[in-house]
Amino acid sequence: MFESAETDHVIDKETYEAAEPKLRQALLEAQYRLKEQGRFPVLLLINGVEGAGKGETVKLLSEWMDPRLIQVESFLEPSEDERLRPPAWRYWQHLPPKGRIGIFFGNWYSQMLHARVEKRIKSADLEEAIGEAGRLERMLSDEGAVILKFWFHLSKKQLKQRLKTLKDDPLHSWRISPLDWQQSRTYDKFVQHGEHVMRRTSRDYAPWYIVPGYDEHYRSLMVGNILLEALTAALDNDTRTPRSSHAAPLPPNLDGRGVLSSLDMSQTLSKEAYREQLIAEQARLSLLVRDKRFKRHALVAVFEGNDAAGKGSTIRRVTGALDPRQYRVIPIAAPTEEERAQPYLWRFWRHIPKLGGFTVFDRSWYGRVLVERVEGFASEADWLRAYSEINDFEEQLTDAGIVLVKFWLAIDSDTQFKRFKEREETPFKRFKITEEDWRNRDKWDQYSAAVEDMVARNSTEIAPWTLVEANDKRFARVKVLRTINDALEAAYARD
Amino acid sequence: MFESAETDHVIDKETYEAAEPKLRQALLEAQYRLKEQGRFPVLLLINGVEGAGKGETVKLLSEWMDPRLIQVESFLEPSEDERLRPPAWRYWQHLPPKGRIGIFFGNWYSQMLHARVEKRIKSADLEEAIGEAGRLERMLSDEGAVILKFWFHLSKKQLKQRLKTLKDDPLHSWRISPLDWQQSRTYDKFVQHGEHVMRRTSRDYAPWYIVPGYDEHYRSLMVGNILLEALTAALDNDTRTPRSSHAAPLPPNLDGRGVLSSLDMSQTLSKEAYREQLIAEQARLSLLVRDKRFKRHALVAVFEGNDAAGKGSTIRRVTGALDPRQYRVIPIAAPTEEERAQPYLWRFWRHIPKLGGFTVFDRSWYGRVLVERVEGFASEADWLRAYSEINDFEEQLTDAGIVLVKFWLAIDSDTQFKRFKEREETPFKRFKITEEDWRNRDKWDQYSAAVEDMVARNSTEIAPWTLVEANDKRFARVKVLRTINDALEAAYARD
C-alpha cells in the first residue's frame, strides 16, 4: 500500500511553477461551479504520519481557492459541549453544506488510530469504529457528498530526517507529539493500524489516497489534481443519482515514477549461483510443505506479469520441487459460461485449496483491474469496486490460515520485444505469440499505470505484492522461490 | 421490530385458496422470465425461530415453482472439505447462477446467531461477522443479485404452543434442538441477538422481512408476494445499473391487520383517575430528571401521530412538570434553506441534547418515512434507505447514554373527523385546521401503511416505538408520561 509513496517522488521547482498556476485557476473555477450548482458538498479527510505535510497542504489549498467557500475544521480535544454528546455530533456540526468544500483535519480516523496506538481502545473497538465510519460515509455518499480521503505518508527514514527540521505547527497531530514520533515503535504501530483501517475503509465511492509527503511539490500537485478531477467529474455528471456516482478518480502519476520504475532491472544471477540457489530454495520449499505445521496453513501463489515475462517457466521451477499430488496449477483464461453466470470472484473461490494444500494461479482475480480494465472488458464502476472486494476476499483467505503470495513479473519493453521476436523465429515457440500480444504492447503505459494502482490498493500487510525483476529469468525464479519460502517460515513463526 | 409479526395475522382457508393459484402462476411466469433474461440471480436467506414454518415455506416455494430452477441449500454442520477452507467458501460453492433462485436455509446469519447464543463467540466476533456479511451482500448486490432476507417469527407464547405439536423435521435448525427451545432463555437470547443482527444488516438493497410464522396461510402468501414483487420489479427494470437497483419491496399487508389495528382504541381514563395519575407521573418525571444519575443520560422524546391526535397538548403535559431550563421543544416543520443544504439527518443532529438534557421533538426524523414518503417529497430510494440510516443514528444516541422514547399518537378516523369539525367551528381553534389537513385525511390508508412499515423497521430494542391509543386524550397523556418514566428508571437500573 505504501510502496509507491515510499519511492522518491520528486517534482522540480520549474515543473511545479509551470503547473501550479493552471491547477490553481482550474480549481478556482471548479469551486465556483460547485457553489453555483449547489448540488453536493465535498469532504476531504486529512490523515497520515507526522511531518508529511498535512498542515502545509491544507493551508495551500485554502490559498489556492476561495477561502470563503472552504471550511477547514481541526478536530482537536473535544470541547465540553462535544464530550457530552454522541461522538459523531461534532462532525455533524461542521459538515460542509452543498456547494462547499470541507476539510476535516483530524477526524474519525485520527480519533480511532490515536486511541488504538495509545491502547485506549482494543482491537474490537477499532472494528466497531471502522464499521461506524463506513456507515457514515456510505450515508454521506448516498446523500450526494464527494468524499476524498488522504493519507500523507513518509517512510521511517524520511520521517527521521523530517523530524530534525520540524518546527512547531499549530495544526500538528494533537495526540502524538513530535517527541513520541521519534520512537520508531510509534511509527510502526501507527502505520500498521493505519494500513488495516485503510484496507477496511477504502471503497470505490470514498477511497484512500496515499500521498508521498516528502516532496512538497509532489504532494501539493497530487492532492490538487485529485481534488480537481473528482470535482470536475461530479460537476459534469449532473444526471447522476447520488448512489451510482462518485467513483472517485485514481491517483495521478505526476513524475512518471512508481514501484515499477524504481525496480533495478539490471539484476542478474550467474549460471552457477542460479543452479546452487535454485536447488537450495526448492529443497527448502519441499521441506516447508511437508512440515506438519503446513497442515494448519495452505499456500496460494498468484502469478501476474508482462507478456513473455516468464510466468510459465517460473511456475515450473516452483512446482518442480514438489510431488504432483501436493499442488494444483490453475490457468486463468476467459471465463466459461458457467463462470460468467456468477459473481466475478466465484471462479477463484472454487479453486481455493484446503488447509494443507497449495494452489498456483497462473493469472488470477487481478485480471479485473489489469486486462479487464485496460481492454474495457469490465465497466469502470465494476473494476473500481474490485479493489476493495479483492482486499475483502484476500482477508478471508489469510484469516483462514492461507499464506498468500502475489508476484508481478516485470520485464522492460526492450526485453519483451526481444522475446517476442525470438518466439516468432523459433518454430516450437511460435504458438506462444499472437497478434494480440503485439497489440497489448501498444498499451504498455496503460498496463503499467494499472499495475501501479493495483499495488497501491492491493499490496497489503496480510497479502503484499512482490514485484520481481524478471529481465533475467534466473534471478526472477530464485527471488520467487525465496519469497514463498520466507512467507511460509514467517507464518510458521507466528503460529 | 417484532410487534406486527406478533399480532394475530391470520388468513382464512377460503381467501388463501382463492389467492394461491394466481400467486403460483405469477411466480412461475416470473421464474421463466428470470431464466430467459439470465441477467441476475435471486438469493433468499431463511432464518428465524424454531417452529415458525421455515422448512414448510421453503418446501412450498419449491412446489409452487419449477424446482429445477431453484437450488435449496441447507447448510448444516460443515463437511470436512468445508471446514478446511475459509468459512465463506461453502456459500460461494452454492451461489445460484444468474437466472436462478437460491434458497439458503441455514446461512451466515444462522452460523453467527447460533454461535453467539451458545457463547462460542463473543460480542466482538459477532460484530466482525456482521461486518463480513454486510460486505458480502453489498458485493453480491453490486454484481446484480436480488437478496431477500426472511426472519420467521413466533412470539414466546406462540412458540410454546407450537412446540407441543412440533414433529421432527429434517430441515430443522441444526444447532438448537426443540428441547433447547423449550427453555425460554434460549428464545430470549436468540431473539435478542437476532434483533441486533437484523438492525445492523437490514439495508435498502437487502432488507429483512419479519414473517409472522404462526398462520401457515399468512406466512406462505407473504413470502410468495414479496418474492413475486421483488422479481417483477427487477425483471421489468432492464436498464438498471446493479448498484442503483434492487430497493427491495416493502412487506405487503395481507389481512389488514397490524400494530395499529390491534390497538384497543376504546381505552379511557376518568377525570379523577386522570388528575391523580397525571400529577403522580409528573412528579415522578420531575424527580427522575433531577436525579443525579440523569447527568449520565439525556432524554430525547419523539412525538409523531395522526393530525389532531393531541401531540401539542400531550407535550405540554410532559413539560408541565419541569422547569423551562430543563427541556427544549423542537418543532419540526419544512427544512430551512440551510438545512436543505445538508444531509437529511443534519437538522436533527444539531438539536441533540447534552448529557443531562431533555429534548422533545414535535415531529422528527421520521418525517422522511411518513409525510415525505406519502407525499412524494423524497424519492423512493431516499426514504427506503432512511430506515437503516435512522437505526444507525438512534444507535449512536443510545450508545452515548441518551434515553430515546418514540410515541405514535393514534386516533381513529371518526375521532379525527370530529376534532377537525370542532376546530373549524371554534373560533380560537380555527388556525389549527387547514385545507391540507383535509387532503391528508384522504391518504389515511397510506399513512397507516407507512406507520406499520416504520414500526416494523425502526422499533428496536434500544429505541422502541410506543403506540399510544389517543382517542381519549387523558389516557394518552398518562400513558406517555408513564412510558417516559419507566424508560428512565430502566436506564438507571442498567447503570
Side-chain angles (χ1 to χ4, degrees):
Chain A
M1 202 178 262
F2 303 116
E3 291 89 338
S4 177
E6 293 188 358
T7 62
D8 285 327
H9 284 287
V10 177
I11 283 180
D12 61 56
K13 201 169 168 226
E14 227 165 82
T15 312
Y16 179 78
E17 283 175 356
E20 193 245 16
K22 273 180 253 169
L23 176 62
R24 214 170 149 161
Q25 182 63 27
L27 276 172
L28 208 53
E29 277 165 26
Q31 203 186 7
Y32 284 112
R33 279 180 72 200
L34 177 71
K35 183 196 167 197
E36 213 165 287
Q37 290 193 4
R39 282 190 300 120
F40 59 88
V42 178
L43 184 59
L44 273 55
L45 303 182
I46 307 293
N47 293 82
V49 306
E50 185 69 11
K54 296 193 290 288
E56 293 87 332
T57 310
V58 169
K59 276 184 223 151
L60 190 67
L61 287 175
S62 304
E63 281 167 33
W64 279 352
M65 291 188 280
D66 185 336
R68 292 167 303 177
L69 302 176
I70 300 187
Q71 292 171 211
V72 178
E73 305 292 346
S74 197
F75 295 98
L76 306 174
E77 291 285 4
S79 69
E80 194 191 332
D81 249 22
E82 291 169 342
R83 265 185 292 111
L84 292 174
R85 289 196 170 81
W89 186 81
R90 59 199 312 223
Y91 305 120
W92 278 89
Q93 295 314 297
H94 295 95
L95 283 180
K98 289 171 188 167
R100 298 290 148 95
I101 298 173
I103 305 185
F104 281 12
F105 186 87
N107 46 55
W108 40 94
Y109 292 111
S110 341
Q111 300 289 338
M112 67 177 89
L113 275 171
H114 286 118
R116 185 69 188 109
V117 168
E118 293 161 20
K119 293 192 176 161
R120 281 181 287 119
I121 61 171
K122 288 184 197 167
S123 142
D125 306 315
L126 184 65
E127 292 308 315
E128 181 74 24
I130 285 172
E132 263 171 42
R135 289 189 288 273
L136 175 62
E137 291 170 22
R138 172 93 245 167
M139 184 276 303
L140 291 174
S141 166
D142 281 346
E143 292 266 351
V146 171
I147 305 171
L148 302 168
K149 304 188 287 206
F150 295 99
W151 175 275
F152 285 70
H153 193 71
L154 292 177
S155 69
K156 203 189 282 189
K157 203 177 120 199
Q158 289 170 334
L159 174 66
K160 292 236 183 267
Q161 293 175 319
R162 182 58 55 98
L163 284 176
K164 286 181 198 153
T165 59
L166 201 66
K167 287 192 200 113
D168 225 31
D169 180 340
L171 291 178
H172 266 166
S173 197
W174 51 277
R175 276 271 179 195
I176 306 181
S177 71
L179 199 71
D180 293 325
W181 279 104
Q182 305 277 7
Q183 299 170 356
S184 108
R185 240 180 86 75
T186 300
Y187 176 92
D188 290 341
K189 282 168 65 185
F190 194 80
V191 168
Q192 180 210 328
H193 292 305
E195 207 258 12
H196 173 79
V197 166
M198 286 194 277
R199 183 155 41 82
R200 275 291 170 81
T201 57
S202 202
R203 296 285 139 183
D204 47 351
Y205 54 86
W208 279 101
Y209 297 97
I210 315 284
V211 180
Y214 198 71
D215 181 65
E216 189 185 337
H217 297 147
Y218 193 95
R219 72 180 181 228
S220 307
L221 289 188
M222 177 172 174
V223 173
N225 271 296
I226 290 171
L227 175 58
L228 177 63
E229 204 184 317
L231 263 173
T232 310
L235 288 165
D236 288 350
N237 179 12
D238 54 7
T239 59
R240 69 189 175 72
T241 55
R243 176 171 290 178
S244 62
S245 75
H246 297 151
L250 289 158
N253 190 333
L254 299 169
D255 59 359
R257 290 204 189 95
V259 287
L260 287 176
S261 72
S262 57
L263 294 176
D264 177 2
M265 299 300 286
S266 67
Q267 292 176 94
T268 57
L269 212 56
S270 73
K271 263 194 187 169
E272 295 91 72
Y274 169 66
R275 230 173 265 149
E276 199 175 295
Q277 292 180 28
L278 183 75
I279 288 173
E281 293 297 342
Q282 284 183 329
R284 201 175 148 212
L285 178 60
S286 171
L287 279 173
L288 285 167
V289 166
R290 279 182 294 160
D291 191 297
K292 71 175 192 296
R293 287 171 294 186
F294 192 61
K295 295 274 168 236
R296 282 188 305 237
H297 293 281
L299 181 58
V300 169
V302 164
F303 286 85
E304 298 279 357
N306 298 110
D307 287 332
K311 283 190 294 295
S313 64
T314 304
I315 291 170
R316 282 195 298 279
R317 296 315 181 284
V318 171
T319 56
L322 305 173
D323 182 300
R325 286 164 298 186
Q326 289 178 311
Y327 65 87
R328 288 184 62 205
V329 179
I330 309 291
I332 298 297
T336 63
E337 196 193 332
E338 193 190 5
E339 289 170 340
R340 284 196 305 274
Q342 291 284 1
Y344 176 68
L345 288 170
W346 187 82
R347 60 195 182 113
F348 309 105
W349 264 109
R350 65 195 304 202
H351 296 300
I352 293 305
K354 286 192 251 191
L355 292 184
F358 174 25
T359 301
V360 173
F361 285 90
D362 184 356
R363 302 197 188 271
S364 70
W365 45 94
Y366 283 98
R368 179 142 274 198
V369 296
L370 295 170
V371 57
E372 293 188 37
R373 165 185 170 179
V374 173
E375 305 296 340
F377 299 154
S379 75
E380 190 181 37
D382 282 341
W383 63 259
L384 275 171
R385 70 180 160 80
Y387 293 107
S388 49
E389 288 171 3
I390 287 173
N391 280 339
D392 293 343
F393 169 52
E394 294 182 351
E395 185 161 347
Q396 292 181 68
L397 304 188
T398 56
D399 276 354
I402 295 173
V403 175
L404 177 56
V405 286
K406 307 184 296 199
F407 298 104
W408 176 264
L409 269 57
I411 53 176
D412 57 32
S413 178
D414 290 349
T415 305
Q416 189 184 60
F417 185 81
K418 261 184 275 169
R419 291 191 187 167
F420 276 14
K421 280 284 171 206
E422 190 197 326
R423 284 179 177 189
E424 282 189 332
E425 287 155 14
T426 314
F428 68 88
K429 283 188 176 169
R430 216 171 277 156
F431 76 97
K432 290 174 95 178
I433 179 92
T434 65
E435 275 304 306
E436 206 191 321
D437 293 324
W438 287 106
R439 274 199 303 277
N440 288 347
R441 247 180 90 76
D442 295 338
K443 296 179 178 160
W444 184 273
D445 291 344
Q446 286 165 267
Y447 275 101
S448 298
V451 172
E452 294 288 341
D453 292 330
M454 171 182 85
V455 172
R457 296 189 167 193
N458 295 120
S459 187
T460 59
E461 204 192 359
I462 54 169
W465 269 102
T466 301
L467 281 76
V468 181
E469 303 81 351
N471 277 356
D472 180 73
K473 288 189 179 184
R474 295 190 291 256
F475 179 86
R477 292 167 187 170
V478 170
K479 178 165 176 177
V480 163
L481 267 160
R482 188 171 289 143
T483 304
I484 293 174
N485 290 331
D486 290 350
L488 279 175
E489 272 179 9
Y492 294 168
R494 278 193 306 270
D495 274 351
Chain B
M1 201 177 264
F2 303 116
E3 291 89 338
S4 178
E6 294 188 359
T7 62
D8 285 326
H9 284 287
V10 178
I11 284 181
D12 61 58
K13 203 170 165 226
E14 223 165 87
T15 313
Y16 178 78
E17 284 175 353
E20 193 245 16
K22 275 181 251 168
L23 176 61
R24 216 170 147 161
Q25 181 61 24
L27 276 172
L28 208 54
E29 277 165 27
Q31 204 187 4
Y32 284 111
R33 281 181 71 199
L34 177 70
K35 183 197 168 198
E36 213 165 288
Q37 290 193 4
R39 283 190 299 119
F40 59 89
V42 178
L43 184 59
L44 272 54
L45 303 181
I46 307 292
N47 292 81
V49 306
E50 185 68 11
K54 298 193 289 288
E56 292 87 332
T57 309
V58 169
K59 276 185 225 152
L60 190 65
L61 287 175
S62 304
E63 281 168 32
W64 279 352
M65 293 187 279
D66 185 336
R68 292 166 302 177
L69 302 176
I70 300 187
Q71 293 173 211
V72 178
E73 305 292 346
S74 198
F75 295 97
L76 305 175
E77 291 285 2
S79 69
E80 193 189 335
D81 248 22
E82 291 169 342
R83 264 184 295 111
L84 292 174
R85 288 193 171 85
W89 186 80
R90 58 198 313 224
Y91 305 119
W92 278 89
Q93 295 315 296
H94 295 95
L95 283 180
K98 289 171 188 166
R100 298 282 197 278
I101 297 173
I103 305 185
F104 280 12
F105 186 89
N107 46 56
W108 40 93
Y109 292 111
S110 340
Q111 299 289 337
M112 66 177 92
L113 275 172
H114 285 120
R116 185 68 189 110
V117 168
E118 292 161 21
K119 292 191 176 160
R120 281 181 287 120
I121 61 171
K122 287 184 195 168
S123 139
D125 306 313
L126 183 65
E127 292 308 314
E128 181 75 22
I130 285 172
E132 263 171 42
R135 290 189 288 273
L136 175 62
E137 291 170 23
R138 172 93 244 165
M139 183 276 302
L140 292 173
S141 165
D142 280 347
E143 292 267 350
V146 171
I147 304 171
L148 303 169
K149 304 187 286 207
F150 295 98
W151 175 276
F152 284 70
H153 193 70
L154 292 177
S155 68
K156 202 190 285 187
K157 203 178 118 200
Q158 289 170 334
L159 174 67
K160 292 240 183 260
Q161 292 176 320
R162 183 57 56 98
L163 284 177
K164 285 182 199 156
T165 59
L166 201 66
K167 285 190 203 115
D168 226 29
D169 179 338
L171 291 177
H172 266 167
S173 195
W174 51 278
R175 275 272 179 196
I176 305 181
S177 71
L179 200 70
D180 293 326
W181 279 105
Q182 305 276 7
Q183 300 171 353
S184 107
R185 241 179 87 76
T186 302
Y187 176 92
D188 290 341
K189 282 167 66 186
F190 194 79
V191 168
Q192 181 210 327
H193 291 305
E195 207 260 12
H196 174 79
V197 166
M198 286 194 276
R199 183 154 44 81
R200 275 291 170 79
T201 57
S202 201
R203 294 286 140 185
D204 47 351
Y205 54 87
W208 278 101
Y209 297 97
I210 315 284
V211 180
Y214 197 71
D215 181 65
E216 190 186 337
H217 297 147
Y218 194 94
R219 73 180 181 230
S220 307
L221 289 187
M222 178 173 176
V223 173
N225 271 297
I226 290 171
L227 175 58
L228 177 63
E229 205 184 318
L231 263 173
T232 310
L235 289 165
D236 288 348
N237 179 13
D238 54 5
T239 59
R240 70 191 174 71
T241 56
R243 176 169 289 180
S244 63
S245 76
H246 295 151
L250 288 159
N253 190 332
L254 299 169
D255 58 359
R257 289 202 189 97
V259 287
L260 288 176
S261 71
S262 58
L263 294 177
D264 175 2
M265 298 300 285
S266 67
Q267 292 176 94
T268 57
L269 211 58
S270 73
K271 262 193 186 169
E272 295 91 72
Y274 169 66
R275 230 173 262 148
E276 202 175 292
Q277 292 181 27
L278 183 75
I279 288 173
E281 292 298 340
Q282 285 182 330
R284 201 175 148 212
L285 178 60
S286 171
L287 280 172
L288 285 167
V289 165
R290 278 181 295 161
D291 191 298
K292 70 175 191 300
R293 289 171 292 186
F294 192 62
K295 295 275 168 235
R296 284 188 305 240
H297 294 281
L299 181 58
V300 169
V302 165
F303 287 85
E304 298 278 358
N306 298 111
D307 286 333
K311 284 191 292 295
S313 64
T314 304
I315 291 171
R316 282 196 298 280
R317 297 313 181 285
V318 171
T319 57
L322 306 172
D323 183 301
R325 286 163 299 185
Q326 288 178 313
Y327 66 88
R328 287 183 63 205
V329 179
I330 309 290
I332 298 296
T336 63
E337 196 191 333
E338 194 190 4
E339 289 170 342
R340 283 196 307 274
Q342 292 284 1
Y344 177 68
L345 288 171
W346 186 82
R347 60 194 182 112
F348 310 105
W349 264 109
R350 65 195 302 203
H351 296 301
I352 293 305
K354 287 192 248 192
L355 292 184
F358 173 25
T359 301
V360 173
F361 284 91
D362 183 355
R363 301 195 187 271
S364 70
W365 44 94
Y366 283 97
R368 178 143 274 196
V369 296
L370 295 170
V371 58
E372 292 188 38
R373 166 185 170 179
V374 174
E375 304 297 338
F377 299 153
S379 75
E380 191 181 34
D382 282 342
W383 62 259
L384 276 171
R385 71 181 160 80
Y387 293 106
S388 49
E389 288 171 3
I390 286 173
N391 281 340
D392 293 343
F393 168 52
E394 293 183 351
E395 185 162 348
Q396 292 182 67
L397 304 188
T398 56
D399 275 355
I402 295 173
V403 175
L404 178 55
V405 285
K406 307 184 295 199
F407 298 104
W408 176 263
L409 269 58
I411 52 176
D412 57 31
S413 178
D414 291 348
T415 305
Q416 189 184 58
F417 185 81
K418 261 183 275 168
R419 290 189 187 168
F420 276 16
K421 280 286 170 201
E422 191 196 325
R423 285 177 176 188
E424 282 189 332
E425 288 155 13
T426 313
F428 68 88
K429 283 187 175 169
R430 216 169 276 157
F431 76 97
K432 289 174 94 178
I433 179 91
T434 65
E435 275 305 305
E436 206 192 319
D437 293 324
W438 287 106
R439 273 199 304 277
N440 288 348
R441 247 182 89 76
D442 296 338
K443 296 180 179 157
W444 184 274
D445 290 344
Q446 286 165 268
Y447 275 101
S448 299
V451 172
E452 294 289 340
D453 292 330
M454 170 182 85
V455 172
R457 297 189 165 192
N458 295 120
S459 187
T460 59
E461 202 190 1
I462 55 168
W465 269 102
T466 302
L467 281 77
V468 182
E469 302 82 350
N471 277 356
D472 180 74
K473 289 190 178 184
R474 294 190 292 254
F475 178 86
R477 291 167 187 170
V478 169
K479 179 166 175 176
V480 163
L481 267 160
R482 188 172 288 143
T483 304
I484 293 174
N485 290 330
D486 290 350
L488 279 176
E489 273 180 7
Y492 294 169
R494 281 193 305 270
D495 273 351

